[in-house]
Amino acid sequence: MNHLSQQQHMRWMKVRLFTNQLSKVIFMLSAFFGLFVLAVLLYRVVSEGIGSINFSFLTGKLSTQPERAGIMGAILGTLWLMLVVAPVTMFVGVGTAIYLEMYAKKGRLVSFIQTNISNLAGVPSIVYGILGLTVFVRTLNLGNVVLAGGLTMSLLILPIVIVASQEAIRSIPFHLSEASYGLGATKWQTIQRVILPSALPGILTGAILSLSRAIGETAPLVVIGIPALLIPFPGSIMDRFTVLPMQIYYWTLDASLVAEYANLAAATIIVLLVTLFILNSTAIIIRNKFGKVE
Amino acid sequence: MKFNKFLLFMIIATFAVVLAACRTDAGEENGSKKNNASAKVSADLKGSVVIDGSGTVYPLMARLAEEYMVNEQENVSVEVSRAGTSAGFKKFLVDNGTDFNDASRQIKDEEAAEADKLGIEVKELKVALDGLTFVINKDNDWATEMTPEQLISIFLADGTVEKWSDINPDWPNEKINAMGPNENHGTYEFFYEKILDKQDMKSTVNLQQEYSTLVNLVSEDKNGIAFFGFGYYVNNGDKLQAVAVDFGNGAVEPALDTIAEDGAYADFTRPVFTYLNVNHAKEKPQVKDFAIYVMNNINKFAGETGFAPIPENEAKENISFLEGLK
């Protein structure tokens, strides 16, 4: 048996401890890299835009004069869009998840659907825009209205909602539904009274996170065609509309003509970030609050 | 799970309250889009006017649209987009297409043929004049005045001019960096067809999609020279200087009065247009009304958006044509 000399042992020890420290530093740096980029972005946006945020900017109508322009139209457009996207994705998304998890027999068909849902989740958003333009705007002849935009956005986030809902349903302990069946409940009664209530926090978290993605998307709407100047507020799902990210896009383009538009774009980014922050916080609160119940 | 339902209820209630609050503003214009057949000539018009097309013309038309909505017809919604001249024509030349298409060039023969095929009667309305402006760096103190021939030689592929000293032996022996907007722009088409007379352009000319890129490139390059519409020069006058062009009677700076129809800069001036779907103007009173408003007020707003006004008699001719539509 070879005994290691004390000296050699110490040397190896040092190398191991150094590697340990080094890996810690490397991983810490990569963790802080994202934070650093976020800080730079926030600093730039806030310093450029905070001066333009005031009551008349938030509640005013769109204008070609930067000092008079407001974003109420874009805020309402975003709300109207959500009013289409939220019910459609919740119904179709949760419905698909219930079918796949509760009704469908595991087999080729289910795994085919499953694979396609995963593939759809990876399709670039601009492709959904082209789909929306062809199907909703042109073929169904809806025009570039809230309904067409909302349905396109729903398609975009559906895969995420389906997968999140499936995870939520799958995570419910089997004995809960077994107990329900044991008491003589039908499948639908079990789904309605046992499965859905327990899965709701997970479903809601997924839905809210995907809604915040829909709020921030621009590419599909660029393809569908959102007017650069639209002053009246949308009043129904059949009205033309504009949304916050589109306004950021147009004002960034306008900045080459009139520099003040860069400030308006930055101010709109702040409003959008705050909206997303509120939505994502809600999702986290729901998850933390109800995750413990089980 | 009670709290859960309560939360859901709160979210839905918030949505409902916010939307109910804003309905009062926009509710009335709803549904009015369908009754365009009842042609009212009276003061209160409703419905929408949809405009797309050139990004060059956009600032002017957007300004007019806003003024029209604020001062004339607050229940009419005029929507202005800027897909570009050619992309705009694609949306204009379909059934139920846009009402107007802004254009920084004239309609092409194939586009006009497409309109005939679809039975769309098209009326060309000249809205303003735009001066092709050559810009150089602020530190360039030699090439501030040039003749049209010298400017053209910078961009031509015949290889005679590569350096400033090729134009004038007193100028620096340094390479000229020529730039301009790319083929997507009506400004490029005008420069290539009307100024270069379709002669080949140097392949080294740096063609860009965004005007803001050109502004930045020239403002950072002492040997840079670029061309674009006068409006982009006016708004960036602090970063660039314009070349005064000597058409034979002394050097002329591009300015609102010189790029006018018979101004001294007229050789480098091009008209910009909006094309009206006459069928729509006959069916929808708000389209006709807005068209007349545009022709009546165009010269008021041309200057502040960097365009020169059109001759009054041309505007008047168009107005009498429009008023005669039934």
Side-chain angles (χ1 to χ4, degrees):
Chain A
M1 206 183 202
N2 289 329
H3 285 274
L4 293 169
S5 72
Q6 182 75 8
Q7 214 182 356
Q8 194 162 21
H9 182 77
M10 285 307 286
R11 206 185 304 140
W12 285 2
M13 186 79 155
K14 261 185 197 158
V15 172
R16 292 197 316 139
L17 284 176
F18 177 74
T19 321
N20 191 34
Q21 280 299 319
L22 185 73
S23 55
K24 181 186 163 190
V25 170
I26 288 174
F27 295 135
M28 199 173 74
L29 280 180
S30 27
F32 279 100
F33 177 72
L35 207 63
F36 174 73
V37 173
L38 182 69
V40 171
L41 177 85
L42 281 182
Y43 172 74
R44 248 190 74 89
V45 165
V46 170
S47 63
E48 243 178 66
I50 198 79
S52 306
I53 293 190
N54 51 42
F55 186 71
S56 70
F57 175 72
L58 292 175
T59 57
K61 292 185 169 186
L62 203 56
S63 169
T64 53
Q65 311 291 92
E67 61 278 6
R68 269 198 286 161
I71 53 164
M72 198 58 196
I75 293 175
L76 291 174
T78 301
L79 282 179
W80 272 109
L81 195 71
M82 288 310 105
L83 210 65
V84 174
V85 174
V88 170
T89 46
M90 279 302 267
F91 185 79
V92 181
V94 178
T96 309
I98 290 176
Y99 174 76
L100 288 177
E101 290 300 317
M102 304 297 295
Y103 289 100
K105 291 203 174 67
K106 307 282 171 224
R108 280 214 188 129
L109 181 69
V110 169
S111 63
F112 180 72
I113 295 176
Q114 199 73 58
T115 315
N116 277 300
I117 290 169
S118 314
N119 280 339
L120 281 177
V123 171
S125 57
I126 195 154
V127 176
Y128 284 98
I130 295 166
L131 178 78
L133 180 72
T134 323
V135 177
F136 302 124
V137 179
R138 298 258 167 87
T139 311
L140 296 182
N141 211 5
L142 291 175
N144 47 352
V145 296
V146 176
L147 184 60
L151 291 176
T152 309
M153 284 299 190
S154 305
L155 291 181
L156 174 72
I157 62 169
L158 253 182
I160 313 172
V161 177
I162 294 173
V163 172
S165 307
Q166 276 185 292
E167 295 290 336
I169 291 171
R170 222 177 285 154
S171 69
I172 295 161
F174 202 49
H175 58 79
L176 282 181
S177 42
E178 288 287 280
S180 174
Y181 291 136
L183 290 169
T186 63
K187 197 159 213 168
W188 169 236
Q189 281 173 323
T190 307
I191 292 171
Q192 191 189 4
R193 306 223 175 115
V194 178
I195 305 284
L196 279 187
S198 327
L200 203 59
I203 293 174
L204 276 183
T205 310
I208 292 174
L209 287 178
S210 54
L211 271 191
S212 62
R213 164 141 193 236
I215 288 179
E217 271 294 342
T218 323
L221 296 178
V222 171
V223 179
I224 286 177
I226 301 296
L229 179 78
L230 178 75
I231 294 180
F233 295 152
S236 82
I237 55 169
M238 295 311 284
D239 279 351
R240 290 192 186 79
F241 69 111
T242 185
V243 293
L244 290 169
M246 286 305 293
Q247 216 43 63
I248 296 169
Y249 172 68
Y250 283 131
W251 275 337
T252 311
L253 286 182
D254 283 332
S256 71
L257 269 179
V258 183
E260 282 95 324
Y261 280 120
N263 298 338
L264 293 190
T268 315
I269 293 173
I270 297 176
V271 174
L272 184 61
L273 282 180
V274 170
T275 316
L276 294 179
F277 181 74
I278 292 172
L279 271 179
N280 289 353
S281 312
T282 316
I284 292 169
I285 290 169
I286 290 176
R287 192 175 58 205
N288 289 349
K289 197 133 203 151
F290 301 101
K292 291 168 200 153
V293 174
E294 297 155 41
Chain B
M1 285 307 117
K2 258 186 190 152
F3 185 70
N4 230 332
K5 277 179 188 156
F6 175 71
L7 196 77
L8 200 65
F9 172 75
M10 282 308 288
I11 294 170
I12 293 168
T14 320
F15 263 103
V17 168
V18 173
L19 288 174
C22 65
R23 272 200 78 92
T24 45
D25 250 316
E28 60 263 43
E29 79 186 23
N30 250 340
S32 60
K33 281 176 189 159
K34 285 135 204 158
N35 65 5
N36 49 34
S38 61
K40 276 195 293 177
V41 198
S42 64
D44 293 326
L45 294 169
K46 287 175 173 180
S48 61
V49 177
V50 182
I51 306 172
D52 208 325
S54 165
T56 309
V57 191
Y58 169 81
L60 179 57
M61 288 303 271
R63 188 86 180 81
L64 278 159
E66 184 179 3
E67 288 298 324
Y68 179 76
M69 281 184 273
V70 172
N71 299 327
E72 299 283 322
Q73 298 288 348
E74 55 180 347
N75 291 328
V76 173
S77 162
V78 184
E79 295 152 24
V80 195
S81 302
R82 46 175 158 189
T85 304
S86 303
F89 270 122
K90 289 198 180 100
K91 296 186 186 177
F92 182 72
L93 298 170
V94 289
D95 289 329
N96 283 322
T98 50
D99 302 316
F100 291 86
N101 190 53
D102 300 335
S104 59
R105 57 162 170 82
Q106 271 183 304
I107 190 168
K108 287 179 180 165
D109 290 343
E110 56 263 37
E111 287 160 347
E114 180 70 20
D116 279 345
K117 209 175 84 187
L118 291 163
I120 298 173
E121 191 190 332
V122 177
K123 172 71 179 169
E124 176 184 291
L125 303 171
K126 190 193 281 185
V127 289
L129 300 169
D130 185 18
L132 189 75
T133 304
F134 290 84
V135 292
I136 51 175
N137 189 277
K138 280 260 172 191
D139 295 333
N140 182 332
D141 53 5
W142 57 91
T144 51
E145 291 179 11
M146 279 194 253
T147 64
E149 293 74 30
Q150 289 173 335
L151 283 167
I152 290 168
S153 69
I154 292 175
F155 289 88
L156 279 187
D158 57 8
T160 51
V161 173
E162 295 290 343
K163 296 170 178 173
W164 293 108
S165 53
D166 294 336
I167 302 175
N168 184 332
D170 298 337
W171 291 357
N173 185 20
E174 285 172 48
K175 199 176 166 298
I176 305 173
N177 296 322
M179 311 164 209
N182 67 14
E183 297 86 339
N184 294 342
H185 293 269
T187 308
Y188 171 91
E189 291 180 38
F190 173 75
F191 181 73
Y192 174 67
E193 286 172 15
K194 298 281 154 62
I195 308 291
L196 294 187
D197 204 16
K198 297 193 181 177
Q199 302 174 77
D200 284 343
M201 202 188 279
K202 277 195 183 84
S203 59
T204 51
V205 175
N206 184 354
L207 299 176
Q208 292 287 337
Q209 170 67 24
E210 298 296 338
Y211 291 109
S212 53
T213 317
L214 290 171
V215 170
N216 290 336
L217 285 172
V218 175
S219 66
E220 285 159 13
D221 182 356
K222 210 173 148 189
N223 292 313
I225 181 166
F227 63 91
F228 42 63
F230 180 68
Y232 282 90
Y233 163 65
V234 176
N235 285 292
N236 295 289
D238 52 332
K239 295 181 211 154
L240 307 164
Q241 58 174 332
V243 177
V245 185
D246 185 351
F247 295 100
N249 301 310
V252 185
E253 290 259 0
L256 287 181
D257 54 332
T258 56
I259 60 180
E261 190 94 320
D262 43 9
Y265 201 80
D267 287 0
F268 277 2
T269 293
R270 58 169 175 168
V272 293
F273 309 92
T274 189
Y275 285 85
L276 167 68
N277 183 325
V278 177
N279 307 6
H280 287 187
K282 286 177 181 167
E283 290 160 13
K284 305 182 209 171
Q286 74 273 18
V287 172
K288 178 179 158 184
D289 192 58
F290 180 69
I292 294 171
Y293 177 84
V294 167
M295 294 322 295
N296 269 323
N297 296 278
I298 194 86
N299 285 348
K300 246 188 261 174
F301 297 106
E304 64 181 84
T305 40
F307 293 99
I310 53 168
E312 284 295 334
N313 62 323
E314 285 189 32
K316 285 213 179 79
E317 270 171 39
N318 282 330
I319 291 169
S320 57
F321 169 85
L322 292 166
E323 281 174 343
L325 290 178
K326 281 203 181 75

